[in-house]
Amino acid sequence: MSPSSSAFGSVRSAAELNEQIRALWMRAGGTLSPQERAEYELLVVAWAAAIRGAVVKAA
């Protein structure tokens, strides 16, 4: 399953992104293809941004 540009442009919570990351690893069986690696990297960047946003709101 390849990520669409609209999927990464939407606002998602850190929990939603974490679930997507976990699902990706489960589908991949622990070894990511180059395409899955690119998807993983985008998800991690989005997750980090969501975490930062949550920390700023809490402060």
Side-chain angles (χ1 to χ4, degrees):
M1 179 173 146
S2 68
S4 68
S5 59
S6 63
F8 290 104
S10 63
V11 176
R12 293 171 289 172
S13 71
E16 290 172 315
L17 291 160
N18 189 36
E19 283 302 313
Q20 289 182 310
I21 292 167
R22 288 175 184 264
L24 174 62
W25 278 105
M26 292 295 291
R27 284 193 313 271
T31 304
L32 299 176
S33 70
Q35 182 178 356
E36 290 166 329
R37 171 59 86 180
E39 181 179 357
Y40 170 75
E41 289 174 3
L42 289 171
L43 286 168
V44 169
V45 168
W47 174 83
I51 290 293
R52 278 191 303 273
V55 170
V56 169
K57 287 180 188 175

